[in-house]
Structure formats: C-alpha cells, structure tokens
Amino acid sequence: MSASPTSLSVIMPVYNEQDAIQLAIDDVQRCVLDVVPGSELVVVNDGSKDATGQMLDQAASQDPRIRVIHKPNGGHGSALLAGLAVAGGDYLFLIDSDRQIPLDDFHAAWAEVMQGTDAVFGVRQSLVADWTQLADGSFRMDYDFVLNPQAKA
C-alpha cells in the first residue's frame, strides 16, 4: 500500500497492441492518472511479438507514473495476476488495452469511491455500440458507464 490514501493502481494487460497502445496509455494518463493523486499505471506486456514492449518502455521513460512488466505469454488472467502482484495502490482499476470502455467519465466513478462507495463497476449496456472517430482518425466503441450506488457500505 502507498502513503497516499487516494492512491490507485490501474492494471492493464497487453498483447500485440502496437497499433493502439499509445492511445490507450494517453487515455489512462488524461482521464485517470491526471485525476487521481498518487496513481500509477501498471502495464503488463504478456509476451508481445510486435513492438508493443518497446513502445511501453518508451512511455514509462517519459512518465514515472507508468510501470511496465514484461513476462512470457501466459494469457489475460496471468497478466492481470502479474500486475496485481506489483500494484502499489490502495485502490485497483482493471482495464483492457482495447479502449472499448471510454474513460471520459472516470472522474464520476472516482468521486463515488471518494464518497465511500465500496466498489464501482463499468458495465457495457448492450452488445451494440456506437463508434466515435477520434481526432487521430482511429475509432473507439462507446458504451455507457454505469455506477452502482447500492454498493455503499
């Protein structure tokens, strides 16, 4: 656990994401790391065979809030466990690297946590998603972010 009572570890397993990983990291930096003091992004490179590992190392060299774990390919579950094993935050946020869950409303979820909510879950509302074209020309699927106020202690 860290010294900050509001610290958060974001755990992101990745595999062969060279075409999208920088955008995923940018989203986490802007919407999570910049919002939560003492937060970190733990990215677990699960044996990628493309340039993902090198791109992650470059990102970590530019932002001390990013930690990269390189491991042999073992699948999504083992990558999550590797990230959880080194996470230093008081709170955990598990996220995939495919950007299917927009982080723009993360601040609202974090506000719920700071109000005493035990857990907050992002849920895809349907299997049909809207596509948004981003400024860089890439596309992102948009899903609704649902807060569960019933989870309060």
Side-chain angles (χ1 to χ4, degrees), residues 26-57:
D26 292 346
D27 288 348
V28 172
Q29 287 172 309
R30 178 178 50 83
C31 297
V32 181
L33 302 183
D34 291 348
V35 170
V36 181
S39 59
E40 68 175 347
L41 171 60
V42 178
V43 188
V44 181
N45 179 26
D46 191 33
S48 295
K49 297 179 193 290
D50 61 5
T52 300
Q54 294 88 346
M55 295 172 75
L56 293 173
D57 290 339

Side-chain angles (χ1 to χ4, degrees), residues 73-88:
N73 182 257
H76 188 264
S78 81
L80 278 175
L81 290 173
L84 290 169
V86 301

Side-chain angles (χ1 to χ4, degrees), residues 21-26 29 33 41 43 51-68 70:
I21 193 59
Q22 189 58 56
L23 294 172
I25 290 171
D26 292 346
Q29 287 172 309
L33 302 183
L41 171 60
V43 188
T52 300
Q54 294 88 346
M55 295 172 75
L56 293 173
D57 290 339
Q58 177 66 28
S61 74
Q62 296 174 354
D63 188 338
R65 301 172 300 177
I66 299 172
R67 291 198 295 161
V68 179
H70 296 279

